[in-house]
Amino acid sequence: MIKLRAAHERGRTVVDWLDSYHTFSFNQYHDPEHTHFRKLRVINEDRVVPGGGFGQHPHRDMEILTYVIEGALEHRDSLGTGSVIRPGSLQRMTAGSGLTHSEFNHSQTEPVHFLQIWIFPEEKNLKPSYQQISFEEEGLRNDLYLLASNRFADEVIHVNQDVQLYGSVLDHGRELVYDIGPERHLWIQIVRGDGSVGGVRVGAGDGVAVSRESQIRLAADSSMELLLFDLA
C-alpha cells in the first residue's frame, strides 16, 4: 500500500517570523487522519525570517531531529549545548525526562529553512542528551546514506527507537530500489525536486507512506532530495 500525503494538504501556521507546514497534527492544527505514522510523530517544514526564532521552551519524552535545508539555525539548550546547524548536518535531541531549548535563525539577513522531526522514544524518562553529525552531500548522491539509527555506529545519529533514517539526492533520471524488510514500514519525505515513489508522482513537501510492500522504487525527474524513514 502506497499513500501520498500531498504538500498542499498539510496544515499551516503563519506568524510574522515563521511559516510552518505540518505533515501531522501539531499545535493548533488537528487532523484525526494524520496524527502520526508508526512512531513518527512530527514533520514540520519551517521557514524562519532573519533573526527570528523559537524562544526557550520545554520538551520531554521525544526524539527530536533537525535537518537544515538552507541557511543556519542556532541551537541552545539546558544541557549547556550551543551549536549552529547548517546543510550537511543533522541534530538529535533526546528530550527524555525533560529539558528546554531555543532555536533561532543564526543570520540577520537570510532566512533559514529546515525540517523539524519528532519520533516517539522506545522508553519514557530517558536521560536527556544531544548529538550532531556532519555529512558530505556527495555521500547522499544517487545512494541511500544512513543518517540515524537505533544501532550505535560511528558518524551516525543514535535514535532511541527502532528506526533507520536515510538521506538521498538523486540526479535527474536516476533511480534507486529499496528492499523493505518483513513487518517494516516506510515514510518518504521529499525535501526538494520531483519524481516518483513506487510510481506515485511526488514533489517538494510531499510525503509517502508505504506499508505491506516488499520494495519501493525511487526515481528522480529533476535533482530530488529525500529522507527515507524505515520504521517498525
Side-chain angles (χ1 to χ4, degrees), residues 40 43 64-67 89-92 115 117-119 133 135 140 144-151 155-157 159 161-168 178 184 186-189 191 226-231:
L40 184 56
I43 300 179
I64 300 174
L65 303 176
T66 303
Y67 183 90
S89 60
L90 179 69
Q91 176 207 72
R92 186 266 299 156
L115 295 179
I117 300 157
W118 296 8
I119 298 169
I133 63 166
F135 53 89
L140 278 64
L144 286 166
Y145 183 95
L146 184 63
L147 296 172
S149 172
N150 63 328
R151 305 178 189 119
E155 307 304 320
V156 174
I157 287 283
V159 181
Q161 184 51 263
D162 184 1
V163 56
Q164 281 76 55
L165 168 60
Y166 297 87
S168 184
Y178 183 81
R184 303 296 294 186
L186 305 185
W187 184 275
I188 298 160
Q189 189 69 27
V191 179
L226 62 90
L227 295 177
L228 184 151
F229 299 82
D230 185 326
L231 302 141

Side-chain angles (χ1 to χ4, degrees), residues 17-122:
W17 57 272
L18 171 69
D19 188 355
S20 179
Y21 285 92
H22 315 306
T23 295
F24 305 112
S25 295
F26 185 82
N27 200 9
Q28 307 270 327
Y29 167 66
H30 180 69
D31 181 344
E33 298 203 4
H34 297 95
T35 58
H36 66 285
F37 179 75
R38 311 303 294 179
K39 297 300 183 179
L40 184 56
R41 173 63 188 87
V42 166
I43 300 179
N44 286 348
E45 183 180 358
D46 292 344
R47 290 175 173 86
V48 175
V49 302
F54 302 88
Q56 202 79 3
H57 59 281
H59 290 285
R60 65 174 300 133
D61 293 328
M62 199 65 68
E63 301 289 283
I64 300 174
L65 303 176
T66 303
Y67 183 90
V68 173
I69 302 166
E70 293 176 316
L73 188 68
E74 184 171 346
H75 166 94
R76 295 189 182 278
D77 62 41
S78 55
L79 301 174
T81 308
S83 65
V84 177
I85 313 157
R86 293 184 170 87
S89 60
L90 179 69
Q91 176 207 72
R92 186 266 299 156
M93 191 171 63
T94 293
S97 58
L99 52 68
T100 61
H101 79 134
S102 63
E103 293 173 302
F104 280 88
N105 188 340
H106 184 64
S107 172
Q108 297 297 317
T109 58
E110 301 294 330
V112 62
H113 180 197
F114 62 99
L115 295 179
Q116 190 81 204
I117 300 157
W118 296 8
I119 298 169
F120 290 116
E122 59 191 358

Side-chain angles (χ1 to χ4, degrees), residues 188-205:
I188 298 160
Q189 189 69 27
I190 307 303
V191 179
R192 285 187 277 212
D194 56 11
S196 64
V197 173
V200 176
R201 304 292 310 162
V202 292

